[in-house]
Amino acid sequence: DVVRGDLVTNFQLLLSCRSGKLTPSQVAKNIIAMLEDCDKSMPPLRAIVQWDQEQIMLMAEASTTRYRNKCTLSCLDGIPVCLKEEFKVVPYHHRVGTVYLGTQPETEDATVAKKLREAGAIIIGVSNMHELGTGTTGCNPNRYHKIPRNPYNPNHFTGGSSSGSAAAVAAGLCPVAIGTDGGGSVRIPASFCGVVGLKGTFGRISCHGSLPLSYSTVSVGPICTSVADAAIVYSILAEPDLLYPYGLKQPKATLSDMCAPDLKGLKLGVDWTFFKACDAEVLSACEKAVKHLQSLGGSVVEISLPEMEEARVAHVICILSEMRDFLQPDFNKHFHEMNLETRASLALASQFTALDYIKANRQRTRSMRFLQEIFSTVNCILTPALPCTAPRIYESDLLTGSSDMSFTVRSMRFMQLGNFTGIPGIVVPVGYSTAGLPISLQVMAKWWDEAVLLRIGLKLEQFREQTKKPSIYYDILA
């Protein structure tokens, strides 16, 4: 149930390593050759923007020795992973998608990077991202980053802001990547690139060592080939961190009932008016996926999500105000080094007042109370992940970037509730458009109940009869 067609999962790698058919060192050599190929291809994939052959081989050889001695550290031992450039990762530059940050190599890991190392994972590099996380396309034309390409169609965007993380997983460079999500930045690119994206409850996974762009909306989460892989990564990363106070009082993360044979007893909440505000192809695939969940015993309960427009506006005010506050020195000092879209977003943010921010947070309290009531009657909320499939890249985007506010607003439609209120969400591919671009369904649950997301996510994977191999795909086991 967890091996997705031709795409490599953690389990395939793990079984290969345990059987002795393949070592982490051999996999690492394959990846290095493929990273070199990515840089030379036309157009370049631009998923991984910083990598170091020596660092990759050091970790791989250590893992190979552990497998030989039968003393592996975890289920992630020997598994290739990448982290969004928003995280500090030794010895790479912490550029966060810019040309002016991270002038010196990092000497200290973010908490998630440290945990991945302790688990024996092989960090293959840091991945591309939308500059300072300010957009949802992944378009970043500056000299260090360039525009990452969607492996399903390189003429289309990956989505952002964890753009390179999703592209790397979809293209087969690694089965696991880590991203951050303040307005859909894990779930949007995962959906556009046809892979699984999990946004944890606010505070569940430590943000320490990432640039604190928006302290009240951002969560960390894995982007993976399969739901099972996401569950493994979540179980390793989800715990309190003394260096990250927002998650200190969280309940223990569990995977209870994740592998239950059916969905009997689960109530699946759907606000159909909200659900149907998407393209016809997206709606058709997502409605069929909901019927599949019903066939496994889940009961669909019609709900009403109140004040969604107010919540949408309030989320924008909160995230942009917090980013503008943190980036005030950058905006003053490095304005001309920023992409045009970033300048426009931060200029817009400067128009919000303290009164706007206070009112937005009052709305947050209201929205959280509404959700408390809703989750007393249902176990989850279902929506399409995105109203549309990945947008096309135009020639002008390569030079000056892309700034389409109407697309940004639309792409975040189903994402913002999770960021604004802190509830967790997962996106799982459920089909493809006639043009062959991925379509995903989103499942959201009450705070700290990631286990129910993973349980439902596993069943959604059964719905998709086949996984289409992307047009750009590297087989790291070959």
Side-chain angles (χ1 to χ4, degrees):
D1 291 339
V2 296
V3 177
R4 295 185 49 213
D6 294 318
L7 305 192
V8 174
T9 68
N10 272 352
F11 288 94
Q12 288 170 295
L13 275 169
L14 201 57
L15 290 171
S16 295
C17 292
R18 282 182 175 170
S19 68
K21 292 179 181 177
L22 202 61
T23 68
S25 295
Q26 289 170 312
V27 173
K29 287 175 183 175
N30 290 346
I31 292 171
I32 289 165
M34 291 162 185
L35 287 171
E36 291 172 343
D37 184 73
C38 285
D39 289 341
K40 296 172 186 173
S41 62
M42 289 303 294
L45 181 62
R46 297 307 293 163
I48 306 296
V49 289
Q50 297 182 61
W51 58 278
D52 183 281
Q53 179 174 335
E54 184 180 350
Q55 290 290 320
I56 295 170
M57 289 309 303
L58 279 172
M59 286 180 275
E61 286 162 3
S63 179
T64 298
T65 300
R66 290 192 293 271
Y67 272 99
R68 189 182 302 123
N69 296 333
K70 294 182 169 53
C71 59
T72 51
L73 299 173
S74 78
C75 288
L76 284 184
D77 206 326
I79 302 298
V81 305
C82 69
L83 291 94
K84 183 179 185 179
E85 201 181 57
E86 195 169 329
F87 294 100
K88 294 180 179 179
V89 182
V90 178
Y92 303 108
H93 295 266
H94 189 216
R95 293 189 176 121
V96 200
T98 73
V99 296
Y100 65 85
L101 289 173
T103 55
Q104 298 297 319
E106 279 305 314
T107 57
E108 185 177 349
D109 279 329
T111 295
V112 289
K114 182 181 177 185
K115 281 183 171 294
L116 290 169
R117 286 191 205 274
E118 290 171 348
I122 301 170
I123 297 174
I124 66 168
V126 293
S127 49
N128 208 340
M129 64 176 287
H130 205 107
E131 186 180 58
L132 294 168
T134 56
T136 61
T137 59
C139 184
N140 189 355
N142 74 45
R143 65 180 182 273
Y144 285 143
H145 298 88
K146 303 301 179 187
I147 297 176
R149 302 297 179 133
N150 191 316
Y152 276 90
N153 187 327
N155 295 317
H156 287 250
F157 283 116
T158 57
S161 63
S162 306
S163 50
S165 294
V169 173
L173 292 173
C174 53
V176 173
I178 307 298
T180 59
D181 191 316
S185 287
V186 160
R187 294 163 291 157
I188 290 172
S191 303
F192 278 153
C193 292
V195 290
V196 174
L198 172 65
K199 181 199 88 74
T201 303
F202 177 75
R204 176 63 103 178
I205 299 174
S206 175
C207 282
H208 176 73
S210 66
L211 201 70
L213 294 167
S214 172
Y215 66 87
S216 77
T217 68
V218 174
S219 296
V220 176
I223 296 173
C224 300
T225 308
S226 72
V227 174
D229 285 358
I232 291 170
V233 179
Y234 164 75
S235 66
I236 287 172
L237 297 182
E239 66 177 1
D241 175 12
L242 291 175
L243 299 172
Y244 184 64
Y246 298 118
L248 286 179
K249 294 188 177 181
Q250 63 178 274
K252 185 173 177 57
T254 72
L255 300 178
S256 59
D257 295 327
M258 177 180 156
C259 296
D262 54 44
L263 299 178
K264 288 177 181 175
L266 289 186
K267 295 180 179 178
L268 318 174
V270 180
D271 180 331
W272 286 110
T273 302
F274 187 59
F275 190 103
K276 291 180 178 180
C278 57
D279 291 351
E281 283 187 306
V282 173
L283 179 60
S284 175
C286 289
E287 283 181 328
K288 289 174 184 174
V290 172
K291 287 179 181 175
H292 168 73
L293 297 179
Q294 280 183 288
S295 73
L296 292 171
S299 57
V300 171
V301 177
E302 288 198 36
I303 60 172
S304 174
L305 294 170
E307 301 182 5
M308 289 303 293
E309 179 61 16
E310 289 84 348
R312 182 189 70 79
V313 173
H315 167 263
V316 170
I317 291 170
C318 285
I319 189 170
L320 284 182
S321 295
E322 290 167 9
M323 291 178 78
R324 183 68 168 85
D325 171 58
F326 179 75
L327 294 170
Q328 177 70 24
D330 300 55
F331 192 70
N332 292 338
K333 188 176 180 181
H334 298 285
F335 179 83
H336 294 289
E337 296 172 90
M338 293 176 172
N339 291 336
L340 295 173
E341 182 189 12
T342 306
R343 298 183 208 175
S345 296
L346 294 177
L348 170 65
S350 68
Q351 300 304 304
F352 297 133
T353 66
L355 184 60
D356 293 328
Y357 187 72
I358 291 168
K359 285 184 176 180
N361 277 285
R362 285 177 178 158
Q363 179 62 45
R364 194 199 306 260
T365 302
R366 287 178 63 84
S367 296
M368 291 175 77
R369 285 178 179 162
F370 293 143
L371 285 178
Q372 281 181 320
E373 293 174 13
I374 289 168
F375 285 126
S376 69
T377 60
V378 298
N379 298 97
C380 69
I381 298 170
L382 304 179
T383 72
L386 293 161
C388 58
T389 54
R392 187 172 180 82
I393 298 171
Y394 293 96
E395 283 297 315
S396 60
D397 300 332
L398 305 177
L399 300 174
T400 58
S402 171
S403 184
D404 184 343
M405 193 57 71
S406 63
F407 170 77
T408 302
V409 170
R410 191 166 187 239
S411 64
M412 294 199 301
R413 173 179 174 80
F414 301 115
M415 302 283 117
Q416 291 173 285
L417 183 63
N419 295 112
F420 189 48
T421 63
I423 59 173
I426 192 170
V427 294
V428 180
V430 294
Y432 303 89
S433 68
T434 52
L437 292 167
I439 295 169
S440 294
L441 187 78
Q442 176 176 229
V443 189
M444 294 180 284
K446 68 178 181 292
W447 300 270
W448 315 115
D449 197 9
E450 287 86 351
V452 78
L453 301 182
L454 296 164
R455 177 181 173 184
I456 296 168
L458 279 177
K459 297 298 181 271
L460 279 175
E461 283 185 319
Q462 296 174 1
F463 164 71
R464 200 172 63 259
E465 291 182 358
Q466 67 172 124
T467 297
K468 293 182 180 178
K469 185 183 283 190
S471 60
I472 301 174
Y473 187 74
Y474 296 93
D475 184 357
I476 59 176
L477 300 187

